[in-house]
Amino acid sequence: MERVTLPDGQLHPLFEVLASPLGLIVRGLSDLLSPLVAHSALIMLTADPSGGRIQCCGDPTVQRGVRGLDLDQLRSKIGGVEGVHGATLRVGDARRPAIQVVARNGALLVLTDPGPVADLDPLLDIWNIVALHVQERADEAAPDYLRHARSTAGLRLQVLSEIKDEYSATLDSILVPLRSGQLSDASARDAAIARSAAGLKRLRGMTEQAHTVAAESVTLAFARLKEELWSAARSWQVELEFIEPPEGDHLIPDDVARGARAVVHRFILSRMQRSEISRVRVQWSCDGTDLILKVRDDGDGGTADAETLLQSVQQRIHALRGQLAVNSTSGWGAELSAVLPLEPPLVGPSTAAIAGLRPREMQVANLLASGSRNRAIAEELGISENTVKFHISRILHKLQAGSRAEAIATLLTEQQT
């Protein structure tokens, strides 16, 4: 592995960032990077056990105006190549200068309104460490998170608040010329038609981007798995064999892809404790309905071996409504076979409502459900009590709850299902 370069005095602050709760990493990372490059806001686009992809701190205008689809498009333009790149980011109706840092695992860091950067290497090294840490925390997430993420996957496109906001803005822009008393009927009609055409084009593009955010091809998902395993295999001293998915580029939900990679990781890591294993074969296939995983090693095997392997992955497989079989025969090694359905289950109104909460509203809702009062929530999230009250009113409205207690009951019930 390449040597990490850290400026003097930054090792302990980096440790503090990694040791902090996931919701506070973004703030600590911003403080850590400020001496390297001044910035008005810091944005992270990563996998997250709390279910959110985007975390942001700094300039409130950036926090309110940044869109996940724009971030994903920003990352796509450079093909997810590791490195530090100059960019411009759309924030509301404006364009802001930015630096985007892409980690080895594809996670994106964006610094808006950046100052001069004397050395890019420490910036990239720090983000690689933090991104890998967040990825590992996501892969180790409790099955309850995976179950919730799986149940909400089918509603993502319908509840994406960004598309809803764009839709509302399009309607407002159409109504402006129609309501204007300074335009003739013909001019107002032409202006409304032009604006509606432009709005529909933007919405169509956002929907296509949303499909990309919510799913990835099985070949891309498998390629990411290979890259992750090859990187880790340097210290395993084991031969890896990969059986590529057959032709037919089926799309699979990103939570299924992430869960499948975590299962393979868990299987192989549990086997690395056995010194007799020298070879592991990994195979994926997809028929458009299910993702099929097969992992096999050349260890000694045995009944006790099979039971240990089963316990290490069965909760994760069940959280994704999958089927699992583990066979371990003495003298023939161990084999894991799993089938993960691609279609999400039907969900109830409360699940749909919770899925419609914005990232900040979800943070407030989680603290609300834990019994925190407004002042404690404000201190935890670094916002004012008035802002907390605003978010809680929005949560009550979206959950159709008549009181704070009713909203908490809905949230707790959802967490227990």
Side-chain angles (χ1 to χ4, degrees):
M1 183 178 294
E2 298 177 3
R3 183 177 179 181
V4 174
T5 58
L6 290 178
D8 293 340
Q10 286 203 318
L11 183 58
H12 180 70
L14 176 59
F15 172 79
E16 293 294 332
V17 170
L18 299 179
S20 59
L22 283 173
L24 300 180
I25 280 182
V26 62
R27 195 183 310 161
L29 181 60
S30 179
D31 293 339
L32 176 64
L33 295 180
S34 290
L36 297 179
V37 52
H39 53 274
S40 61
L42 181 146
I43 310 160
M44 291 169 33
L45 179 61
T46 61
D48 190 325
S50 66
R53 284 175 160 268
I54 302 172
Q55 295 184 62
C56 182
C57 72
D59 186 348
T61 303
V62 176
Q63 296 189 51
R64 291 193 301 266
V66 70
R67 302 188 317 172
L69 296 178
D70 288 328
L71 291 172
D72 193 71
Q73 189 177 47
L74 194 68
R75 179 173 56 182
S76 300
K77 283 183 179 179
I78 59 171
V81 178
E82 178 190 5
V84 183
H85 313 270
T88 59
L89 176 66
R90 177 183 172 185
V91 178
D93 295 328
R95 306 290 299 188
R96 303 278 284 268
I99 288 178
Q100 60 172 329
V101 189
V102 181
R104 222 166 275 180
N105 65 356
L108 176 67
L109 174 72
V110 177
L111 303 172
T112 58
D113 306 312
V117 185
D119 190 355
L120 299 179
D121 288 341
L123 184 61
L124 181 59
D125 287 338
I126 289 173
W127 178 233
N128 266 319
I129 293 170
V130 173
L132 178 60
H133 173 73
V134 174
Q135 169 89 45
E136 290 176 344
R137 296 274 288 272
D139 287 344
E140 294 299 321
D144 287 345
Y145 155 67
L146 289 175
R147 189 177 297 112
H148 176 72
R150 190 76 186 102
S151 67
T152 57
L155 295 173
R156 284 179 184 167
L157 300 183
Q158 289 76 19
V159 301
L160 265 173
S161 58
E162 294 164 359
I163 293 181
K164 177 182 176 182
D165 292 344
E166 185 69 33
Y167 179 75
S168 299
T170 300
L171 290 180
D172 289 341
S173 70
I174 294 172
L175 290 174
V176 168
L178 294 178
R179 290 172 174 171
S180 174
Q182 300 177 354
L183 297 175
S184 66
D185 289 348
S187 297
R189 184 177 64 250
D190 290 343
I193 291 174
R195 294 187 180 192
S196 63
L200 287 173
K201 182 178 179 180
R202 287 195 303 271
L203 284 169
R204 191 178 298 114
M206 291 176 67
T207 302
E208 291 173 355
Q209 292 176 39
H211 277 290
T212 304
V213 171
E216 60 184 344
S217 69
V218 64
T219 53
L220 176 59
F222 192 72
R224 289 181 176 176
L225 173 69
K226 288 171 59 178
E227 183 178 355
E228 293 167 2
L229 291 180
W230 280 127
S231 178
R234 298 171 185 171
S235 59
W236 287 345
Q237 296 182 345
V238 62
E239 180 182 352
L240 294 174
E241 178 185 359
F242 296 100
I243 309 297
E244 300 282 347
E247 293 185 6
D249 218 10
H250 297 292
L251 290 177
I252 56 178
D254 61 350
D255 56 290
V256 174
R258 189 165 58 247
R261 287 195 291 266
V263 166
V264 174
H265 272 280
R266 178 63 62 86
F267 178 93
I268 295 179
L269 285 174
S270 66
R271 303 303 289 154
M272 288 306 99
Q273 301 173 12
R274 307 294 295 271
S275 60
E276 75 275 6
I277 293 174
S278 61
R279 185 174 183 178
V280 177
R281 183 178 67 190
V282 181
Q283 179 178 359
W284 280 19
S285 62
C286 182
D287 58 6
T289 302
D290 300 302
L291 176 64
I292 299 97
L293 317 178
K294 290 189 177 180
V295 189
R296 182 164 187 167
D297 65 52
D298 62 352
D300 291 340
T303 303
D305 213 16
E307 186 63 27
T308 301
L309 286 172
L310 188 65
Q311 292 177 359
S312 70
V313 298
Q314 64 180 351
Q315 280 190 316
R316 193 173 293 276
I317 294 293
H318 291 162
L320 293 168
R321 298 188 309 121
Q323 298 178 356
L324 172 68
V326 174
N327 296 305
S328 187
T329 306
S330 296
W332 290 88
E335 181 179 36
L336 175 147
S337 299
V339 178
L340 304 178
L342 304 185
E343 286 296 324
L346 297 175
V347 297
S350 62
T351 300
I354 291 173
L357 297 178
R358 295 190 175 195
R360 178 63 85 184
E361 292 169 349
M362 196 67 239
Q363 291 175 327
V364 173
N366 287 334
L367 292 171
L368 185 67
S370 69
S372 299
R373 307 303 299 173
N374 289 1
R375 178 175 294 181
I377 295 175
E379 292 175 353
E380 175 71 17
L381 300 179
I383 57 180
S384 69
E385 287 192 58
N386 286 334
T387 303
V388 172
K389 292 177 183 178
F390 171 77
H391 286 312
I392 291 178
S393 68
R394 295 276 296 174
I395 292 168
L396 295 180
H397 174 72
K398 291 184 177 182
L399 299 185
Q400 297 183 358
S403 66
R404 185 187 184 103
E406 187 178 341
I408 292 174
T410 299
L411 292 165
L412 292 177
T413 299
E414 181 61 29
Q415 291 174 4
Q416 294 170 1
T417 58

